[in-house]
Amino acid sequence: METTNLNKSIKQKSEKYKFKPKKGLIGWIFILISVILICLFYFYPMLQALLLSFQSGAGVNLQFVGLENYTRLFSDPTFLAALFNTVIFFLIQVPFMIILALMFSVMLNNKKLKFKGLFRTAIFLPAVTSLVAYSVIFKYLFSNNGIINTILMNLSIISEPILWMSDPFWAKIVIILAITWRWVGYNMIFYLSALQNVDESIYEAARMDGASAFQQFFKITIPMLKPIILFTSITSTIGTLQLFDEPMNITGGGPGNATLTISQYIYDLSFEYTPDFGYASAVSFAIVVMIVFFSIIQFKLAGDKK
Amino acid sequence: MNKLKQISVYGILIVSSIISIFPFFFMIVSATNKSVDVSSGKLLPGTNLFTNIKNLLATVEIGQALLNSAIIAVTTTVLALLVASLAGYGFEIYRSRAKDIVFNILLLSMMIPFAALMVPLFRMFGTISEIAPVIGIDTLASVVIPTITTAFLIFFFRQNTKMFPKELLEAGRMDGVSELGLFFRIYIPTMKTTYAAAAIITFMSSWNNYLWPLVVLQSPKNQTIPLLISSLGSSYSPDYGVIMLAIVIATLPTALIFFFLQKYFVAGMMGSIK
């Protein structure tokens, strides 16, 4: 009520007064709490982590060791395995998921398609699950004598069970499939809403010129969606490089260290093994460097295509 | 040829929809079955639901875990919305070059992986424990406090404030409303959709948060739902029916939010890219 009344009085007043940002201290008061909290819980701990990464020792007995933690990284087989796994997950899962999500969004954007809402809801539904909950479900679905093996054998796709959980290769596949299942629909929604803003007449003109569906996809759809593809690929990159919940709950990092991720290794170093906070902090800077590195690369790739 | 293409599109969509829904189906059906039936691959509803409920209540404190998760998620959401909307509003309405620089610095925090913050935060709360144990390690407050402010949510509110009709504020000023009053009495009531969308994003991520509670919570009475599911899932002699029932219960709140508030849910996703 109050706002509608205000609305009326504004219409009369706004003609006379143009809105100008007010100067002075008041604006800073609005942002003060956020600035303090972000400094306290992001920038200050980050600085602490940097200082810790130059120290080493068990628990609270830390000593300054210079760059020793960083040189140790390169000869630590567990770290190298975790780095390799994380990069593999990122390099395979992110493009795989984005291509699938693009494919679904183009299919569902077709005006003549029936049951559109039903398909969209079904494919999006995994995005409402908690990461831990769906991970536990996937752990059972893909256990060596689990339902996925039973179904694949009944369909005669495989003749003997795949050892999803005890084979290093298949364990990685399970993690990739799980993350893809969880996030494809989520990303699809972004593309779908972007596609709805693309003018249909562009496609009509392309068809008149004899462009195939493939050409339309690569010459029109992809360039039109470029900003949103960049946005989703960067958020997916940051997410995948920090992967923790899924390997922790599906495979526990195993078999061996075949699905161990960097985040999991940091957790193990800090809270599972004899705590070595200094070395754990050095490991965490590996993720920071990768996030910055891959984000810059993606920005560059997107920029160059223009 | 066109017919073939149409069939393959429907084929792909039907198969993909089945794959998307199958784990839900498996989870719900398994919650009504005995553990043996689940592991032997039974895909039909059984009659063991009430036994599973009884066993679940007997083995874990799921009521307590639901309560803990609810307290954490609701507190985080209320505080996060207030703090982030104040900032988003401040950055946009009282825009200045200096504030834009501060804003960009805050955005950098989105690039910081939580794994890098986990150890220093744990040590920080260790120190807090000595001074004020009520908000120290192993308290629900310690889960809430570091997750209240995210640069993402500030960004989200700022983006949405760009579309806020600023004449409303000028009119309020004419009527002698204080600057803080403008925010509480004009901005908040006008931006209900934005708040609803932000509430859904924050509630979901808080409800599902796993790593930080895993680090900072220790005693069973403080367990949250993801911690409970995770420990059930890694038990040595798992009762599959009971675990699946627990997962159904854990998924219910977020699934209900999705079905009843779908409009705001999608608005929340899109609000970040306007």
Side-chain angles (χ1 to χ4, degrees), chain A residues 147, chain B residues 26 29-30 32-33 36-47:
Chain A
I147 192 89
Chain B
F26 175 75
V29 164
S30 299
T32 68
N33 277 322
V36 225
D37 292 335
V38 178
S39 51
S40 70
K42 188 180 169 195
L43 282 178
L44 293 167
T47 53

Side-chain angles (χ1 to χ4, degrees), chain B residues 134-189:
Chain B
V134 279
I135 57 164
I137 296 219
D138 201 21
T139 60
L140 300 188
S142 66
V143 178
V144 174
I145 293 167
T147 51
I148 291 172
T149 328
T150 58
F152 170 77
L153 207 61
I154 299 171
F155 176 74
F156 177 81
F157 271 106
R158 183 178 187 170
Q159 288 300 98
N160 282 282
T161 307
K162 291 195 164 129
M163 266 151 283
F164 173 75
K166 300 183 179 62
E167 307 81 39
L168 286 177
L169 299 178
E170 209 50 57
R173 274 180 195 148
M174 294 295 125
D175 294 343
V177 183
S178 71
E179 293 297 305
L180 218 56
L182 293 175
F183 175 78
F184 283 105
R185 287 168 53 199
I186 299 174
Y187 179 79
I188 293 185

Side-chain angles (χ1 to χ4, degrees), chain B residues 36-73:
Chain B
V36 225
D37 292 335
V38 178
S39 51
S40 70
K42 188 180 169 195
L43 282 178
L44 293 167
T47 53
N48 213 41
L49 178 62
F50 290 102
T51 321
N52 285 343
I53 294 177
K54 216 174 70 196
N55 289 342
L56 178 66
L57 293 175
T59 42
V60 290
E61 299 277 343
I62 191 153
Q64 183 69 50
L66 280 170
L67 184 68
N68 292 340
S69 280
I71 292 173
I72 291 171

Side-chain angles (χ1 to χ4, degrees), chain B residues 92-111:
Chain B
E92 188 58 30
I93 300 297
Y94 303 98
R95 194 168 181 183
S96 69
R97 189 171 293 171
K99 285 194 205 79
D100 278 352
I101 294 170
V102 173
F103 181 72
N104 286 328
I105 294 173
L106 293 192
L107 283 189
L108 281 180
S109 70
M110 288 206 276
M111 302 273 265

